[in-house]
Amino acid sequence: MDQVEVFKALSNKTRLMILQWLKEPELHFPPQDRDMKEVGVCVGQIHCKAQLTQSTISEYLSILQRSGLIESTRIGQWTYYKRNEAACLEFKQLIETSI
């Protein structure tokens, strides 16, 4: 995990909110056809909740994914995103022990 990339990813309020929403997706997004905890949240639902352009949300999700904090799954024409809990735990432990 690149610490600097993670901090950069979290330095934007919307990206931080997306990560928070994905922690408990059932509280922040309407039900969908697939299990949100298992597969993730459809990019369209993240786009609607954030109320930003599709291209901005796509860029934000790419930044979060490159940092390792989220993962994507493609099913048909849809892409779903969920938190990478192992990476989030690793980052939490890094903060607790190093900073």
Side-chain angles (χ1 to χ4, degrees), residues 33-96:
D33 293 340
R34 305 197 184 275
D35 180 13
M36 286 188 265
K37 283 287 191 183
E38 185 178 321
V39 175
V41 177
C42 180
V43 67
Q45 289 189 10
I46 297 169
H47 169 254
C48 287
K49 184 156 182 79
Q51 297 184 340
L52 295 172
T53 65
Q54 180 78 28
S55 61
T56 299
I57 292 302
S58 292
E59 177 63 23
Y60 285 178
L61 291 169
S62 292
I63 290 168
L64 287 167
Q65 191 169 12
R66 281 193 307 269
S67 75
L69 294 172
I70 66 171
E71 306 169 309
S72 68
T73 302
R74 186 140 177 102
I75 300 174
Q77 64 181 357
W78 307 108
T79 303
Y80 296 83
Y81 290 90
K82 68 179 181 176
R83 283 170 50 118
N84 178 344
E85 293 300 337
C88 290
L89 179 60
E90 181 182 343
F91 183 62
K92 177 184 172 193
Q93 290 171 340
L94 171 78
I95 289 173
E96 289 174 348

Side-chain angles (χ1 to χ4, degrees), residues 3-27:
Q3 299 171 38
V4 174
E5 289 302 314
V6 173
F7 279 112
K8 284 181 186 178
L10 298 178
S11 68
N12 175 280
K13 182 180 179 181
T14 302
R15 290 192 298 258
L16 182 58
M17 289 172 48
I18 291 169
L19 195 62
Q20 290 170 335
W21 296 336
L22 293 176
K23 183 176 184 180
E24 297 179 294
E26 64 282 349
L27 298 178

